[in-house]
Amino acid sequence: MEFFPAWLRVEPFLLAGLALWTSLAAFNNARAFGHGTAYIGFIMGMGGLRIEGVPDSPLMGRAVKHSAAHRLVLFMIILLECATAIALWAAALLFFMSTPPIDPSLAAFFAVCLFMGLGFTLLVGGSWFAYYAHMDQAQITHFLMIALSVLVLCLLRLGT
């Protein structure tokens, strides 16, 4: 038995907020693909670790300077963002259906796990190229994505 109608529950609005944020990230990355490719190239080329007069770090052996690889990585990020956004939008909408085809909480769990996976993908991928040395704000954002995912999963668990 539902105690509150969907429009009074917090879950669909949290899911919609995450979906909107992820949708906007995917749109921005697709809209500014050239700039995003250069940004990914800076990260993968480990440009932030190059300091004149200082010997290169042993991590520099990981640098990837092929622009085709940068485009491919950005394309894969956009695909992951789109898949995550679609799953989040679908889960949010399921809460508003009178007879949803699948359990909205299960769909929400799956969608939020995708969002968490996106955060881990960006965090680990960036860490491989030592982006934390020069892009600490991006790293903090990726940690916040993971923390927010955990909080939303806990909220979903409380609601079931």
Side-chain angles (χ1 to χ4, degrees):
M1 182 174 127
E2 291 287 331
F3 292 107
F4 297 105
W7 58 272
L8 285 178
R9 295 184 65 178
V10 71
E11 296 96 328
F13 295 103
L14 276 172
L15 293 168
L18 293 177
L20 185 59
W21 184 32
T22 308
S23 299
L24 185 58
F27 175 77
N28 289 344
N29 283 332
R31 177 73 172 88
F33 194 84
H35 176 76
T37 299
Y39 189 71
I40 296 290
F42 179 76
I43 294 169
M44 292 177 69
M46 301 177 86
L49 290 181
R50 297 186 196 286
I51 302 170
E52 194 172 322
V54 176
D56 278 347
S57 165
L59 297 177
M60 295 298 290
R62 297 179 184 171
V64 176
K65 297 184 181 185
H66 305 289
S67 61
H70 306 156
R71 285 190 300 274
L72 178 63
V73 166
L74 183 57
F75 181 73
M76 291 182 345
I77 289 170
I78 293 169
L79 284 179
L80 185 55
E81 288 170 339
C82 288
T84 302
I86 290 167
L88 287 164
W89 282 120
L93 292 174
L94 284 172
F95 277 95
F96 291 100
M97 292 182 172
S98 57
T99 55
I102 59 173
D103 180 24
S105 295
L106 182 62
F109 180 82
F110 173 76
V112 174
C113 284
L114 268 177
F115 184 79
M116 185 186 299
L118 174 63
F120 273 118
T121 299
L122 297 172
L123 180 69
V124 172
S127 292
W128 178 258
F129 295 105
Y131 79 143
Y132 49 81
H134 54 89
M135 303 173 116
D136 54 338
Q137 294 299 322
Q139 185 181 35
I140 290 168
T141 300
H142 301 150
F143 273 121
L144 286 174
M145 288 173 69
I146 296 164
L148 185 57
S149 299
V150 170
L151 289 174
V152 172
L153 289 171
C154 289
L155 179 69
L156 289 169
R157 182 68 181 133
L158 289 174
T160 56

